[in-house]
Amino acid sequence: MTTTVALANQKGGVAKTTSVASLGAALLEERQRVLLVDLDPQGSLTFSLGIDPEELDVTIAEVLLGKAPAGDAIVTTEEGLDLLPANIALAEAEENLVTRTGREQRLRVALAKIADDYDWILLDCPPALGVLTVGALSAADEVVIPLQAETLSHRGVGQLLDTIHDVRQFINPDLVIRGVLATMYDGRTAHARNVLAAIGDTYDLEVLEPPIPKTIRFAEAPAIGRSILSTARAHKGADAYRAVARVLVGAR
């Protein structure tokens, strides 16, 4: 059975891309078959896993526009992760999708044709609540909300929850909010601990454990084209993502 998880938050800089890459690598270590999907026109996930977005002829853009099947766009990274990559062509594709029939369902339909090849499909959503994010939520079984453990970073969660509610009501009634993933967490500060507690109380959401610690290692990994699980295997940040991956696998 394939589980599709959208990592979504319209706020940028909350480690969505880092979380997709790291959780994907951690799930791979658990002997899971994993596909990562880059839905950001900036192609950050694609670049951070060692693939040059500008050298790609077929990407998720062509898949969403019906010009190519998903299987033709998939590339395999050096770490062994399968990736549906993105580049700037996705920005134009998003504009075109606005007037296309079934725009919210196109990702779901495309992934359904390859889903049997994977145990997990992780969707890296762009920092916006537009067509691409709604399409990801429509295709997903679960949502994980990466959230920096700072006061201002969770002010937009209510807006995201409203979008999830609408998707449930009109498109994907089975969509489940798996929980909030606290990122860039500094447990030494009372502020970070209080924010984490406030998230659960305010929005009645599960907070996935453990929180992901703040470390420069996450910034260093994309420069090498790999995840932190490859560049700093024994680091506490890598271990945190491994622990979260085990939680996800155990909940299936």
Side-chain angles (χ1 to χ4, degrees):
M1 183 180 68
T2 307
T3 302
T4 301
V5 182
L7 280 82
N9 189 329
Q10 73 272 25
K11 187 179 187 303
V14 296
K16 286 189 299 292
T17 297
T18 295
S19 295
V20 169
S22 302
L23 283 175
L27 289 167
L28 197 65
E29 287 187 355
E30 294 291 316
R31 301 183 181 276
Q32 302 291 296
R33 300 170 300 162
V34 183
L35 172 67
L36 309 183
V37 182
D38 191 347
L39 289 169
D40 189 341
Q42 298 179 73
S44 297
L45 177 63
T46 301
F47 176 81
S48 68
L49 290 175
I51 307 295
D52 186 347
E54 305 313 314
E55 293 185 355
L56 298 168
D57 295 323
V58 183
T59 68
I60 188 65
E62 286 71 33
V63 174
L64 293 176
L65 292 175
K67 296 179 179 180
D72 286 358
I74 293 174
V75 296
T76 302
T77 71
E78 290 187 6
E79 283 185 82
L81 289 162
D82 279 3
L83 170 70
L84 253 175
N87 58 23
I88 194 62
L90 185 55
E92 183 177 354
E94 183 177 20
E95 291 182 6
N96 291 335
L97 284 172
V98 171
T99 59
R100 296 290 187 94
T101 302
R103 58 185 177 272
E104 298 94 348
Q105 302 288 357
R106 287 179 174 243
L107 181 62
R108 180 187 62 79
V109 171
L111 294 178
K113 298 175 182 178
I114 58 171
D116 288 345
D117 296 332
Y118 300 100
D119 300 304
W120 295 88
I121 300 177
L122 304 184
L123 311 176
D124 184 19
C125 297
L129 294 178
V131 172
L132 296 174
T133 295
V134 172
L137 296 174
S138 302
D141 302 301
E142 302 179 354
V143 186
V144 170
I145 304 173
L147 194 66
Q148 187 176 359
E150 293 183 359
T151 299
L152 291 178
S153 71
H154 74 83
R155 291 184 63 192
V157 171
Q159 187 179 3
L160 174 60
L161 295 178
D162 288 343
T163 299
I164 292 171
H165 172 77
D166 289 344
V167 169
R168 281 172 165 168
Q169 185 172 1
F170 297 109
I171 306 172
N172 184 4
D174 297 323
L175 182 62
V176 173
I177 301 176
R178 186 65 186 83
V180 171
L181 178 62
T183 60
M184 293 174 269
Y185 179 73
D186 186 351
R188 297 170 300 177
T189 69
H191 175 71
R193 295 193 298 270
N194 291 338
V195 167
L196 211 57
I199 292 167
D201 295 340
T202 303
Y203 301 107
D204 193 26
L205 295 174
E206 177 183 354
V207 178
L208 300 175
E209 295 287 348
I212 308 302
K214 186 175 185 178
T215 170
I216 191 62
R217 298 295 187 187
F218 288 123
E220 294 171 347
I224 307 172
R226 291 175 172 268
S227 75
I228 191 174
L229 277 77
S230 176
T231 60
R233 291 190 56 82
H235 192 273
K236 61 182 180 180
D239 286 340
Y241 276 114
R242 289 188 182 100
V244 173
R246 287 192 292 269
V247 169
L248 295 178
V249 172
R252 290 183 63 172

